[in-house]
Amino acid sequence: MTTADAGGWPAEEEEPRGPVGKAFRLSAADSLSLGNALCGFLAVCVLAASAIEALRTDGTFTPAPSYFATAVVLLLIGATCDLFDGLVARRFRASAMGAELDNLADVISFGFAPAFMVVIWGGFTHQVPFFAVVGAAAAVLVAGVVRLARFACVKTKSGDFMGLPIPMGAMTVISIVLLFEPGIWSLLAVLGVAWLMVSRIEYPKPKGQLAAVVLGWIMVNVAFLTFWVAWPEGGDLPIKIGATMQIALVAAIPLRMLFYKRELRREASRIGQ
C-alpha cells in the first residue's frame, strides 16, 4: 500500500521536534501551574466529600457554607498560582510544555471545578429540573474549554483578552452560587457568564498596577472566606459584598468597552469630517 492509498498518511512517524529531553523538565512556572491544577482537584474533592458525608449520615444533602468556602479558597489559591506562573516564566525560565500545562490546569480549576460546584449547588433542589442544572454546568465547562483554545490561537490587536478570561468567569459563577438560591434566573445568569467567556468583548489584561490590584482583590477574598469558615454568621456580609462587586465588575467592563468604542467611532467621524 502506498502513501496515497493510506489516505495521505506518511509512511514513517514524524520526527520529534525540539529537544526531547528538555520537554520533561519542569520549571518553577510549571510547578505553579501544577499547583493550580491540584487546587482545582482538591476543590472538587471537598465538594464531593460534603455530599458523600451528608448522604451517608441521613440520606439528605444541603450544601454547607463551610464546604463551599473551603472550595472557593482553594480556587482562589489556584487563581493566584495562575496569575504568577506567567510572570515567573518570563522572569526565569519556561519549559517546552509550559503553555500546555497552564491551559490544562485552567480547565480543571476554572472549568470543571466551577461546573461541578453548580451541580452540587442546584442538583439537590427541587426548584429547578436537574437537566437544567447540568446544562448550565456543562455550558460553563464547554465555554471555558473553547475560551482557552481560542486564546491559544487568536491574538487581539490591542493585546487584551477576547472574551471574559476563564479565571474571572469561574469567580463570577462562584459569586452567583454564593449569592443566590438555585432557580431559573440564577441559572440564566450562569449561562450569561458562559456566553461572556466565548464572546468577542475585550477585557483588559492585568499588567503592572492592574495585576497588583487583581492580586490584592484575590487576597481580600481569601481573607473574607477564611473569616466566613471560622465565623459563618459574621463573615456572611463581607462575602455577599465581595460576590456582588465581582458580578458588578464583570457586567460593567462590557458596558465600559461599548461606550469607549462608541467614543472612538465618534472621534473618527469628526476627524473624517
Side-chain angles (χ1 to χ4, degrees):
M1 180 183 292
T2 64
T3 302
D5 295 331
W9 292 98
E12 296 180 359
E13 292 185 359
E14 185 180 351
E15 290 294 330
R17 292 171 294 179
V20 178
K22 291 184 178 180
F24 294 97
R25 298 177 186 174
L26 294 177
S27 65
D30 295 337
S31 300
L32 289 173
S33 296
L34 293 175
N36 178 18
L38 183 60
C39 286
F41 170 73
L42 291 176
V44 172
C45 288
V46 167
L47 294 171
S50 67
I52 292 171
E53 182 179 351
L55 292 174
R56 281 179 176 176
T57 303
D58 54 8
T60 60
F61 172 66
T62 301
S66 60
Y67 285 102
F68 270 92
T70 304
V72 177
V73 167
L74 287 167
L75 293 182
L76 286 170
I77 295 173
T80 305
C81 293
D82 183 62
L83 181 65
F84 277 103
D85 61 2
L87 299 175
V88 171
R90 289 189 291 270
R91 178 64 178 83
F92 297 101
R93 179 178 62 87
S95 71
M97 54 183 178
E100 285 73 16
L101 278 177
D102 186 32
N103 281 344
L104 291 171
D106 285 350
V107 168
I108 296 171
S109 292
F110 309 126
F112 179 69
F116 189 77
M117 185 176 290
V118 170
V119 174
I120 293 294
W121 165 68
F124 292 89
T125 180
H126 298 290
Q127 299 178 15
V128 287
F130 182 70
F131 73 87
V133 176
V134 173
V140 171
L141 177 60
V142 171
V145 171
V146 172
R147 172 71 182 79
L148 289 171
R150 189 176 66 182
F151 174 74
C153 302
V154 179
K155 303 299 179 184
T156 59
K157 294 181 180 180
S158 62
D160 293 331
F161 295 115
M162 181 185 292
L164 180 65
I166 187 172
M168 188 177 291
M171 293 301 116
T172 308
V173 169
I174 291 168
S175 298
I176 294 170
V177 169
L178 293 177
L179 276 179
F180 304 106
E181 294 292 327
I184 297 299
W185 291 108
S186 53
L187 289 180
L188 288 175
V190 171
L191 291 174
V193 175
W195 175 81
L196 284 175
M197 284 195 283
V198 296
S199 70
R200 295 180 178 270
I201 299 172
E202 293 186 7
Y203 283 78
K205 184 175 293 187
K207 294 179 287 188
Q209 293 183 350
L210 183 57
V213 170
V214 172
L215 178 61
W217 175 250
I218 291 174
M219 294 298 100
V220 169
N221 280 334
V222 169
F224 281 165
L225 286 163
T226 304
F227 187 73
W228 189 34
V229 173
W231 298 281
E233 295 181 359
D236 189 53
L237 181 60
I239 285 298
K240 290 183 177 180
I241 294 174
T244 303
M245 291 178 64
Q246 171 68 26
I247 295 173
L249 176 66
V250 169
I253 290 177
L255 294 176
R256 176 67 186 92
M257 294 301 296
L258 179 64
F259 289 130
Y260 176 71
K261 289 185 177 181
R262 182 179 296 178
E263 291 173 3
L264 288 180
R265 286 195 296 269
R266 288 179 179 176
E267 188 66 26
S269 63
R270 290 174 186 173
I271 295 175
Q273 293 176 354

